[in-house]
Amino acid sequence: MSATAPSSTAGFAPALLERVFPFLLAVDAGGQVLSTGPSLTKLCPAMLAGAPVDRHLGVLSPPGAVLRPGALGDEDTSLFLLATRPGGTVLRGQVVVTGEGDDACALFLGSPWVTSAEQLVELGLTFADFAVHDPAADFLMLLQAQSAALADAEVLAGRLREAMDAQRDLARAEQHLASELEAVPDLLVRLDAACRLVEVRPAPASRRPGTVDAAAAGRLLGQDACDLFPGWAASLPGAVAAALRTGTTQALSFSEETDDAVVHYEARVNASGDAEVLTLVRDVTEHRAMEDRLVHQARTDPLTLLPNRALVLQRMGAACEPASDDQHDQHDGGPVLLLVDLDDFKTVNDTLGHPVGDVLLRAVAGRLLGHVRPEDTVARVGGDEFAVLLRSGGTERGVDVAGRMLRSLRHPFAVRGTTMHVGASIGVARPAPGGDADRWMRDADLAMYDAKGAGKDRCSVFRPEQHRDLVDRMAMESELRSAVAAAMEAPRPVTGEGLHVAYQPVVDLASGAACAVEALARWDHADRGPVPPSTFVVVAEQAGLIGDLGRWVLRTACQQTAAWAGEHAELASLVVSVNLSTLQLEEEGVVDDVRGALAAAGLPAEQLMLEVTETALVDLDEAALARLTALRAMGVKVALDDFGTGYSSLSRLRWLPVDVLKVDRSFVEGAADDAGAAALVRCVVDLAQALDLTVVAEGVETAEQEEALRSMSCDRAQGYLLGRPAGPEELVAALLLRAAPTPPCAGPGR
């Protein structure tokens, strides 16, 4: 609503003027507001009737003008620019004066000076607040229409640019696709739903007979696609129908036979519209050949060209299938596996070199192949290990073939001018019901190791108890590992349950005095009871525990011998004998181990004897012999144990680093009643005397044996007759009873 002050100004009709000029402003001669139009009131709500106009509006133009009737002068028709206070909104219009004297008033007829619709929003106005033909409103509406037209033109121009860009992209894509199609080494065939040829584009390079060329492509149009490739006649119609029905790519493989080759193809059928398919046909003959070569290499041993472990396991897996088992069991005994491991093949590589070993392996493979049928498999599954899968015949045929193979391998091989002999151990196993290839191979492996343990150069058939023995051996290995660790951590020698050291006296036959003891490892298991050394020592060697076990026995024996010498003067020169395995001699630190044990116990080196078996001494390499020589140079004595059971040449005794010969119990048993055994013992004694070595007879159990040995001038003896192995406390009394001031029995010079 407009604000109007009562006035008697002549000729002033506010209501009429307000409808024509919504932003009307009437000011009296005193400069006070008489009336405001409704739109001006909306713009300046604080400018009420009677208020000084200068408080709410300032004159911007003409400069210096005052908005009062008497102060206008000649400017009463000029363009006025007013600014609201506060806010600074500019109003533009004309000022006219009506009336005279005190009744005169100045009328501002105009509107806000705005240039955009956004300004109207900021002022809180709309087009309805302006007069019908207000120039400002007309200008704004024209400006708004022009802006809309420009916006539409810009949108149209953008769409035109997008269309031009899309057209250029399409042209480039078509050109790129054409280039790619030219580079694709495939035959392109477009077919209709009835498999008729609509388009045929030959492959860029025609490398094989039968490949379609440009001339042939033109003649084929409209014909059945099966005329192009008869090999896909059975599968193409279904692939075309499926591609059109589902819109998915269909794959085909087929072959074509030519006069001199078979060509393999792969095809991809893709829907191209509602009634056509686009098919790419590629020659994959070379690719298939490469795949076959790679598969062959992955399944073939490169040295012998036999199947490898992966391929024989695959065939074993197929033979393990239930249907196969039933069929074989009913008709021919079923499949059987032979695992052939060459005996001592490492010696060939070590002495003659790997190239000679490789030639020998190929020769062995040839002999094995001579004893199987075409449907059987001979494979190389390890360095010197072969697997023979017999498809039929069962265990009976397996044992027969294994025997023929062993006899064949016993014949000498001629390799690069050298005649060589090689034996083998063979395990024979049938697939277990419900088992797989890995279990089958494991069973044959167990049987093979059983053959090796029985003396090699033979075959063994798998028995279920072999697996139970393996499980038990693994459990024993774990228990022995714990026992060795506990013994090594013990602050003093262990007695009673667990690992401990027992001692057996060695007696001088001339005086009857105990001059030495042999330290023997013993294991009393909480559940198993006493475990024989022949059992747990083998387990220790196989498990890599023999080094720790040997060091513990050596340390314990040295400590106990030094303790006896310190407690009893009669035992001051007692010698302790400790067994040393081949594996220990192969360790670089064995010399330091012995030196450390002697130093820790305070025992002189002359009171320690190390026993090495004759068989082990023969197998020692130069490095191990050098370590044994170094130990002897320290003052430690060396005994050749179990003499007579090995294959050492007697001439080697002249230079072997030994001081004592220990005659094996197998000869001593017959020394009293077997002339042959007695003669052998007498020969050993005479030989030892000639070489200035001491002789100790093992296993003396009867007085007759003792007397016979004494009559042969044998130096020393040990056995149950002279004293059983016992703990330190039990044995010391027996040692003191037999003690005598005799020279150390290990020393040379009898």
Side-chain angles (χ1 to χ4, degrees):
M1 176 181 290
S2 60
T4 304
S7 173
S8 59
T9 304
F12 177 52
L16 178 61
L17 288 175
E18 288 172 4
R19 284 194 294 272
V20 178
F21 300 103
F23 290 93
L24 168 71
L25 172 64
V27 181
D28 61 13
Q32 293 180 331
V33 176
L34 291 174
S35 176
T36 58
S39 297
L40 184 59
T41 301
K42 185 176 181 181
L43 182 64
C44 301
M47 190 168 59
L48 303 175
V53 69
D54 294 341
R55 181 183 302 169
H56 300 282
L57 292 172
V59 180
L60 301 178
S61 179
V66 180
L67 196 58
R68 290 188 180 85
L72 291 174
D74 297 335
E75 293 85 2
D76 56 355
T77 59
S78 300
L79 177 65
F80 268 69
L81 296 178
L82 307 180
T84 60
R85 295 173 178 170
T89 302
V90 177
L91 292 88
R92 180 179 61 178
Q94 289 185 322
V95 177
V96 298
V97 178
T98 63
E100 298 179 353
D102 293 338
D103 293 332
C105 72
L107 301 175
F108 172 75
L109 309 174
S111 60
W113 189 2
V114 292
T115 58
S116 67
E118 287 77 8
Q119 287 181 275
L120 290 181
V121 176
E122 293 174 359
L123 297 175
L125 303 175
T126 65
F127 286 115
D129 294 319
F130 289 79
V132 176
H133 296 295
D134 189 294
D138 291 345
F139 168 75
L140 286 177
M141 294 180 68
L142 178 62
L143 183 63
Q144 207 169 36
Q146 182 183 17
S147 299
L150 289 174
D152 292 341
E154 184 64 27
V155 171
L156 180 60
R159 291 176 179 174
L160 289 174
R161 287 193 297 271
E162 291 176 358
M164 293 175 64
D165 291 342
Q167 189 173 10
R168 284 194 297 270
D169 292 342
L170 179 60
R172 285 195 296 267
E174 290 177 347
Q175 183 179 5
H176 184 64
L177 178 60
S179 301
E180 288 187 341
L181 287 176
E182 288 297 325
V184 171
D186 296 340
L187 172 67
L188 186 150
V189 180
R190 192 181 301 276
L191 309 173
D192 62 16
C195 296
R196 289 187 294 266
L197 296 169
V198 178
E199 177 187 357
V200 178
R201 185 183 66 80
S206 299
R207 299 187 299 273
R208 294 187 178 276
T211 304
V212 179
D213 56 20
R219 295 192 300 268
L220 290 169
L221 297 182
Q223 297 183 21
D224 192 316
C226 295
D227 296 337
L228 178 61
F229 291 118
W232 68 2
S235 54
L236 180 63
V240 171
L244 291 174
R245 184 178 68 255
T246 64
T248 58
T249 300
Q250 304 296 310
L252 301 177
S253 296
F254 60 95
S255 301
E256 297 289 332
E257 293 188 8
T258 64
D259 294 338
D260 58 352
V262 176
V263 183
H264 301 284
Y265 293 99
E266 289 182 354
R268 297 291 185 270
V269 183
N270 302 275
S272 178
D274 295 334
E276 291 184 348
V277 295
L278 183 65
T279 304
L280 296 177
V281 182
R282 175 170 296 185
D283 181 348
V284 295
T285 305
E286 292 184 0
H287 180 71
R288 291 275 182 87
M290 181 177 293
E291 284 184 341
D292 292 342
R293 287 194 297 271
L294 292 175
V295 170
H296 179 74
Q297 291 174 5
R299 297 178 174 181
T300 303
D301 171 54
L303 177 64
T304 61
L305 301 183
L306 294 174
N308 61 9
R309 186 182 190 90
L311 181 53
V312 75
L313 282 173
Q314 178 183 342
R315 293 178 179 177
M316 289 167 60
C320 284
E321 294 178 0
S324 300
D325 285 344
D326 293 342
Q327 180 180 3
H328 289 307
D329 287 341
Q330 293 174 6
H331 296 91
D332 53 24
V336 64
L337 180 68
L338 279 60
L339 196 61
V340 183
D341 187 86
L342 302 184
D343 295 331
D344 305 318
F345 183 78
K346 181 177 182 295
T347 305
V348 176
N349 284 334
D350 292 344
T351 56
L352 301 178
H354 287 274
V356 173
D358 291 345
V359 175
L360 180 58
L361 286 172
R362 286 193 287 267
V364 168
R367 291 196 184 179
L368 297 180
L369 286 169
H371 299 284
V372 298
R373 299 169 182 170
E375 67 268 20
D376 299 329
T377 300
V378 177
R380 182 178 176 225
V381 295
D384 59 354
E385 198 169 59
F386 297 84
V388 181
L389 175 61
L390 306 180
R391 295 291 299 174
S392 61
T395 303
E396 182 178 355
R397 181 178 173 229
V399 172
D400 177 67
V401 172
R404 287 190 280 115
M405 287 180 171
L406 288 172
R407 290 190 293 273
S408 174
L409 292 176
R410 291 183 189 125
H411 293 289
F413 291 83
V415 179
R416 296 185 178 181
T418 301
T419 300
M420 306 176 62
H421 294 82
V422 62
S425 300
I426 302 179
V428 180
R430 289 271 289 118
D436 56 12
D438 290 331
R439 179 177 174 182
W440 192 3
M441 182 71 79
R442 182 207 67 191
D443 291 347
D445 192 58
L446 289 172
M448 182 269 292
Y449 276 106
D450 183 69
K452 280 191 178 295
K456 304 179 181 178
D457 193 31
R458 66 195 64 205
C459 78
S460 173
V461 178
F462 172 75
R463 304 180 305 279
E465 56 266 26
Q466 291 174 347
H467 180 248
R468 292 194 293 270
D469 291 344
L470 174 63
V471 173
D472 183 68
R473 197 202 69 83
M474 293 177 64
M476 181 179 291
E477 176 184 323
S478 176
E479 295 160 359
L480 180 59
R481 191 177 301 276
S482 299
V484 170
M488 294 189 68
E489 294 174 0
R492 58 178 58 87
V494 178
T495 58
E497 188 176 290
L499 280 171
H500 59 94
V501 178
Y503 301 88
Q504 185 175 28
V506 178
V507 175
D508 181 81
L509 288 176
S511 65
C515 60
V517 292
E518 181 178 358
L520 302 169
R522 293 292 184 263
W523 185 20
D524 292 335
H525 193 279
D527 298 321
R528 301 175 186 269
V531 182
S534 58
T535 299
F536 74 79
V537 170
V538 173
V539 173
E541 290 180 338
Q542 294 174 347
L545 295 171
I546 194 64
D548 288 340
L549 178 62
R551 279 186 286 273
W552 170 74
V553 173
L554 176 65
R555 184 191 68 188
T556 303
C558 289
Q559 290 175 350
Q560 184 59 64
T561 305
W564 280 331
E567 296 169 1
H568 307 283
E570 301 91 330
L571 305 179
S573 60
L574 187 70
V575 173
V576 63
S577 180
V578 178
N579 290 283
L580 199 64
S581 74
T582 306
L583 295 177
Q584 288 177 273
L585 279 173
E586 290 176 352
E587 296 180 356
E588 293 184 359
V590 64
V591 177
D592 292 334
D593 290 341
V594 173
R595 184 182 292 111
L598 290 171
L603 185 70
E606 293 76 11
Q607 289 183 245
L608 174 64
M609 181 192 304
L610 298 177
E611 294 190 13
V612 182
T613 64
E614 180 186 7
T615 303
L617 195 59
V618 171
D619 294 335
L620 290 181
D621 57 21
E622 293 184 1
L625 277 174
R627 297 184 188 103
L628 193 61
T629 302
L631 289 169
R632 191 163 180 260
M634 289 168 46
V636 175
K637 305 306 176 184
V638 177
L640 192 59
D641 197 12
D642 300 335
F643 185 74
T645 60
Y647 302 96
S648 62
S649 171
L650 294 178
S651 62
R652 298 186 66 190
L653 289 176
R654 293 184 300 170
W655 53 268
L656 284 175
V658 297
D659 304 286
V660 175
L661 295 183
K662 299 191 72 172
V663 183
D664 187 72
R665 66 178 60 246
S666 61
F667 299 107
V668 174
E669 285 177 350
D673 52 15
D674 186 330
L680 287 175
V681 175
R682 186 175 291 105
C683 287
V684 173
V685 172
D686 293 342
L687 176 65
Q689 290 176 351
L691 297 176
D692 202 20
L693 301 177
T694 301
V695 179
V696 178
E698 298 181 292
V700 178
E701 297 183 354
T702 66
E704 292 77 12
Q705 292 171 348
E706 179 185 12
E707 184 57 34
L709 291 170
R710 185 178 292 109
S711 67
M712 298 176 192
S713 300
C714 181
D715 300 302
R716 320 289 178 194
Q718 71 179 99
Y720 284 177
L721 176 68
L722 305 171
R724 292 177 176 271
E729 295 81 1
E730 181 182 352
L731 185 65
V732 67
L735 291 176
L736 292 174
L737 287 175
R738 284 184 173 270
T742 57
C745 69
R750 298 178 48 81

